[in-house]
Amino acid sequence: MANLLIPAEERNLNPDDVAHLDRRRRRGQLFLVISFQCIIVSTLLTLWSGQDLTYSPGGAHPIAYWNATTITLAIIFGLNGLRLRRGSNEFFSY
């Protein structure tokens, strides 16, 4: 009997296709880890962004720009990680 946990398009893959699928899912897991790390950094930067926006003169707000960059990277890596891990039903601990 076929394993119904595996999506229908992945049931008849040859070994090379399975290796490619595993690499794609591992890369997706890596992107999710990078996204989570960017979220942690941007959370810490949020503490200093308000002070930077208040006390920095003119348009020089390096912490606020860095915070916006890390939030943007977290969103990009998170969405790409979810897209690449599509179809995976297991949790990776690495």
Side-chain angles (χ1 to χ4, degrees):
M1 181 171 176
N3 186 355
L4 298 178
L5 295 176
I6 299 174
E9 61 271 4
E10 297 175 7
R11 290 184 188 159
N12 298 320
L13 297 177
N14 62 27
D16 291 334
D17 291 338
V18 171
H20 177 70
L21 183 66
D22 287 342
R23 281 194 308 270
R24 177 181 63 92
R25 288 182 176 161
R26 281 195 305 269
R27 190 174 305 116
Q29 182 67 28
L30 171 70
F31 282 1
L32 289 175
V33 169
I34 292 172
S35 172
F36 185 67
Q37 290 174 345
C38 286
I39 289 170
I40 291 171
V41 170
S42 64
T43 302
L44 293 173
L45 285 174
T46 301
L47 300 172
W48 291 288
S49 290
Q51 183 178 3
D52 183 47
L53 291 171
T54 302
Y55 296 118
S56 292
H61 305 291
I63 300 297
Y65 299 146
W66 192 22
N67 193 10
T69 302
T70 56
I71 289 171
T72 304
L73 287 174
I75 292 170
I76 290 170
F77 278 116
L79 291 176
N80 283 330
L82 288 175
R83 182 181 57 84
L84 290 173
R85 280 205 60 220
R86 181 187 68 241
S88 179
N89 58 359
E90 59 187 28
F91 175 76
F92 295 109
S93 61
Y94 55 89

